[in-house]
Amino acid sequence: MSWYCDVAPGHPWHGPYHDTEYGFPATDETVLFERLCLEIFQAGLSWLLILKKREALNAAFARFDVDRVAAFDDADKARLLADAGIIRNRRKIDAVIENARRVQALRVSHGGFAAWIDAHHPRDLDAWVRLFKTTFKFAGPEVVNEFLMSIDILPGAHRADCPVAARIAACAPVWGTSSR
């Protein structure tokens, strides 16, 4: 994604995300869930649009608190579909709510979302896509690839000469460190 390293620096929306989040290891459940949801909402749209709507999405989806989103009902779906501040795509909204329930299930089966990812690390993109498709809704190749790059599972978030790449490389290893 070399273009991102060219476009993002200094950009009011892309810059902060590129410089402080994209490609950095993340294991917090809420961060992981938000990232997955943002990638779902981005499918077929621009990342800039998602960044501009990010705060509204956070407000509409209870700051991506898994338990709160998993409890959303038909009234919540109606509220979301009427919210002009977010992406009002029924399939994406349904996927986010169902995926919250699936993350809850990962707590039981693996100890959490991050532990589930770590238990399957490393894999190539095709294997990750197959795994995500059997575990989550609306998890196509682009959603999975961008999500995994955004949390430092798959390479490609930054060019080698991007100053952010050096900062990420200096981070302590997160993935593949659990005992299996």
Side-chain angles (χ1 to χ4, degrees):
M1 179 168 260
S2 62
W3 72 269
Y4 207 47
C5 296
D6 294 330
V7 171
H11 189 279
W13 296 97
H14 289 298
Y17 181 74
H18 169 271
D19 293 350
T20 63
E21 294 181 76
Y22 189 60
F24 285 85
T27 58
D28 178 84
E29 179 179 82
T30 303
V31 171
L32 294 173
F33 184 58
E34 181 204 21
R35 294 272 181 92
L36 178 60
C37 295
L38 293 179
E39 293 299 344
I40 288 169
F41 280 115
Q42 188 273 331
L45 303 171
S46 75
W47 187 243
L48 179 58
L49 176 66
I50 300 310
L51 290 175
K52 287 181 176 181
K53 291 189 175 279
R54 188 178 190 184
E55 188 53 41
L57 286 162
N58 266 275
F61 286 91
R63 307 225 73 72
F64 292 101
D65 178 277
V66 169
D67 294 322
R68 291 181 62 196
V69 175
F72 280 10
D73 59 16
D74 288 340
D76 290 299
K77 288 180 188 179
R79 171 185 57 81
L80 293 166
L81 288 168
D83 186 342
I86 68 166
I87 311 303
R88 295 180 291 177
N89 178 301
R90 184 179 305 275
R91 286 183 57 230
K92 292 177 180 183
I93 290 168
D94 287 344
V96 166
I97 296 167
E98 177 58 29
N99 287 342
R101 295 171 184 148
R102 294 181 183 193
V103 169
Q104 286 178 318
L106 294 178
R107 290 177 189 157
V108 175
S109 65
H110 288 80
F113 195 4
W116 175 81
I117 292 169
D118 198 51
H120 293 94
H121 178 67
R123 289 174 178 246
D124 65 15
L125 177 59
D126 290 337
W128 279 115
V129 170
R130 285 190 301 277
L131 179 64
F132 268 75
K133 281 186 171 200
T134 62
T135 307
F136 295 105
K137 290 184 72 173
F138 217 100
E142 191 63 23
V143 167
V144 173
N145 184 50
E146 284 297 327
F147 169 70
L148 293 173
M149 280 197 307
S150 82
I151 62 168
D152 195 39
I153 290 287
L154 291 178
H158 299 274
R159 287 191 323 249
D161 66 340
C162 177
V164 176
R167 290 184 27 231
I168 292 169
C171 293
V174 171
W175 303 111
T177 58
S178 70
S179 58
R180 293 183 238 243

